[in-house]
Amino acid sequence: MTEASAIAIELGQAFPSVPACEARGESGLRLGKLRRGARGRVIGIAVASAHTRNAVDPHELERRLLEMGFVEGARFEILHEGPVRRDPIAVRLDETRVALRRREAHALIVEIDTDSPTA
Amino acid sequence: MSDVVHPNPLIALVGNPNSGKTALFNALTGARAKVANYPGVTVEKKIGQVTTPAGRRAAIVDLPGTYSLRARSPDEEVTRDFVLGRLKGEAPPDVIVCVADATNLRMMLRLLLELKQVGRPVVLALNMFDIAERQGIRIDLEGLTQELGVPIVTTVAVRKRGLANVLAEVDRLIGAHAGEPSWHEPSADEIRAAHRDAGRIHKLYVKPPLRPDSWTGRLDGVLLHPVAGTLILLAILFLMFQAVFSWATPLMNLIDAGFSGLGQAIMATLPPGLLRSFLVDGLISGVGSVVVFLPQILILFFFIILLEDFGYMARAAFLMDKVMGAAGLHGRSFIPLLSSFACAIPGIMAARVIDNKRDRFATILAAPLTTCSARIPVYTLIISAFIPNRVVWGFANLQGLVMFGLYSAGIIGALTVAFVIRRIFWRGASEPFLIELPAYKVPDPMNLLNGLLLRAKIFLRRAGTIILSAMVVVWFLSSFPAAPAGASGPAINYSIAGMLGHFIAPLLAPIGFSWQMTLALIPGMAAREVAVGVLGTVYAIGGGHGGTLANVLAGQWSVASALSFLAWYVFAPQCMSTLGVVKRETNSWRWPIIMFCYMLALAYAASFAVYHIAAALGAG
């Protein structure tokens, strides 16, 4: 972990940024749209719009994402993309690595670092 | 609880997947663990005995790994109900040992906060502490103990370090008051709050690593690479199959020789009669024909446990998720389907790792179509009898090509069945794929050995119970009533199985089966490869030709019939044990019946098509 990202983690934890999430609402950038190398911060979860074809209801999906560490303020970096149609994606999420499909990643509203490769 | 003396306390091990919980369990109990099933559910219960420093004989239970008590799979439900004391027929644990990967504490802190609400004393075991030290992770143990209000011990399960301290804390906590149970299923906001809490605690007492693990990132750069990673996965699969088929052969021959030696010894000592026939043809050849697969199953599990402990299985699921997803399945279905190449039974049992019931059932229903090792003797016999051993296209051996085709038919069949189930019968709903990619770890040889011993025990116990009784039934059907005096032809011809064969034969005539072939299918229900033995019996006694069985078959069957027989074996439900396991795993007769019917229909259709196409091409 670089020093800059360590500082960013501390900032992320200091400001859980719930207001920012509400301000951006459903229009924010989605993790599911980003490419390998993108890094930034989770600012909200919007399960309602994204998932009509999921076996679990939106509330359950929200809780599962939260349990795996996709909480507001968590730092992420997209490390790898799957071999077929760049799906699923492997994400470094604070200190853990998590893999998920882009479909579920679409529920995560994120903010990318200014020096991060763009979507 | 606290008024009892607790001479035999119950300890529950709870932790995240990949926390080294099973390694700690193995270190504490040695290889003396027993595996049973929890009443009413189909989750394996691993239980062992330990003696605490105070001299108590404690029972210790290894519960399925979980990220939270909010259960999402049958495995996780067992963990939740067990710690809450809700599991029918099971006493609640006296002490909970929460096992954490010391290098990845944050996720676990949330689980610990949940466990504290259960109302039972908790010890936190910081496992893999040596790796945390090597990485320079500084953990303020005193501060963390104060903050969490639970005793903390550091352990290195694979080096057996810290085990006595865990048990000493257990001794101290037995009967301790741990507050009123207050656990309830958390809402999204409560999970957020718990995460914030865990994050705050983590930041206060755990300093980030000075020398973070850089191997995981570097290895993932290759192993998850879209091209290199996929090629490596294929190479690993290729190596596994080579190993399962070539390394196992000498051992299998040895077991085979052992059982036939035993049979011959009995033949030599006992007079001919029912008892000898029962012992030799029923018990020894029956159980022997199943036990002979032990080396293949152990080699397969050797790879599976090794890759699992190394941390690769989650990566395989990542790489295969899209392929599995195309069939409507989950990346996690890959492992059960892979295991089914050895035997559908461990494959069906491995489907327990799938959270979603529909994904799990679809995987279970598709698993028996992948080519299990019991089909190999049948395939080998028919191929060597009917397919010329020559080179085609300049490089490929025709016999090998047919074998490859049969394997491909099984894989395509399994994926198609899963697709049909998930896209037509259970449309729409697909489970989210959301898994942790654990840090790579050097696998521990002792853990591997323990895992293999456990698999061997489970397999042999099955061979000694379910399969044994099935073989006895088959022997009975094939031996009674006995052939009349002076009868010509094989004795089996006059038995119940023989009558059934003649009775069913007209039904199978349209797919090109003779009555002898039909008859072989009946004992073949006990285990697929038994059909080879039966064909041997029928033709050896019936025909009286010399030469190998393959030569005899080549003289008696048409090529179209032989191909039809192969097609039948790709799809047919020729295994009672598999159906029995499906009944146990799904807890209902419905699924084995559905499985039996769909596989039978597929087999009949495939054989019918193959027979008539081959006959039309002049192979009739």
Side-chain angles (χ1 to χ4, degrees), chain B residues 274-512:
Chain B
L274 262 189
L275 178 67
R276 190 175 90 171
S277 160
F278 174 72
L279 286 177
V280 176
D281 302 331
L283 283 188
I284 295 172
S285 73
V287 174
S289 69
V290 177
V291 172
V292 80
F293 291 105
L294 185 65
Q296 288 191 329
I297 287 176
L298 288 186
I299 289 172
L300 189 84
F301 272 107
F302 169 82
F303 279 96
I304 288 177
I305 297 171
L306 196 71
L307 293 174
E308 184 82 59
D309 284 2
F310 179 55
Y312 185 74
M313 279 308 191
R315 271 80 182 177
F318 175 86
L319 291 169
M320 293 303 292
D321 181 62
K322 211 62 187 173
V323 177
M324 294 282 127
L329 289 174
H330 193 268
R332 287 203 182 188
S333 302
F334 178 64
I335 297 156
L337 289 181
L338 186 65
S339 311
S340 302
F341 280 105
C343 174
I345 291 158
I348 287 164
M349 291 184 344
R352 288 172 185 167
V353 297
I354 303 167
D355 310 340
N356 178 274
K357 194 177 151 189
R358 290 176 164 187
D359 278 338
R360 181 162 170 246
F361 282 14
T363 308
I364 288 176
L365 286 176
L369 288 182
T370 53
T371 306
C372 68
S373 50
R375 286 179 174 97
I376 298 168
V378 181
Y379 287 176
T380 318
L381 173 70
I382 309 291
I383 287 176
S384 66
F386 292 94
I387 309 296
N389 187 8
R390 61 181 162 90
V391 173
V392 284
W393 305 329
F395 69 96
N397 176 291
L398 188 61
Q399 291 188 334
L401 215 59
V402 171
M403 195 68 152
F404 179 78
L406 293 169
Y407 267 87
S408 307
I411 297 168
I412 294 167
L415 292 179
T416 310
V417 163
F419 179 85
V420 168
I421 294 171
R422 292 301 275 123
R423 290 289 158 91
I424 294 175
F425 293 115
W426 281 332
R427 276 185 66 173
S430 92
E431 184 75 0
F433 176 73
L434 194 58
I435 58 170
E436 189 187 353
L437 299 174
Y440 290 106
K441 307 236 158 58
V442 179
D444 171 40
M446 278 315 287
N447 203 39
L448 183 61
L449 194 67
N450 274 325
L452 285 180
L453 280 174
L454 197 65
R455 286 299 135 197
K457 254 194 249 175
I458 293 172
F459 178 76
L460 289 176
R461 196 175 55 200
R462 264 181 30 76
T465 52
I466 307 172
I467 297 176
L468 183 67
S469 34
M471 297 312 292
V472 171
V473 171
V474 165
W475 171 81
F476 180 83
L477 292 179
S478 324
S479 311
F480 290 97
S488 62
I492 192 172
N493 211 350
Y494 302 92
S495 67
I496 302 173
M499 288 181 232
L500 274 172
H502 282 289
F503 180 72
I504 301 170
L507 294 175
L508 297 186
I511 61 174

Side-chain angles (χ1 to χ4, degrees), chain B residues 63 97 114-115 145 174 178 246 281 291 315 351 361 367 371 389 412 462 464 470 556 584 587 600:
Chain B
L63 291 171
V97 177
E114 269 194 79
L115 284 172
T145 308
I174 284 169
S246 57
D281 302 331
V291 172
R315 271 80 182 177
F361 282 14
T371 306
N389 187 8
I412 294 167
R462 264 181 30 76
Q556 299 257 344
R584 217 183 67 188
N587 232 338
L600 200 64

Side-chain angles (χ1 to χ4, degrees), chain A residues 54 64 66-67 99 101 103, chain B residues 70 195 321 430-431 435:
Chain A
N54 241 310
R64 289 198 192 177
L66 288 168
E67 277 167 358
R101 287 185 189 147
R103 187 145 57 91
Chain B
R70 227 170 49 72
H195 251 299
D321 181 62
S430 92
E431 184 75 0
I435 58 170

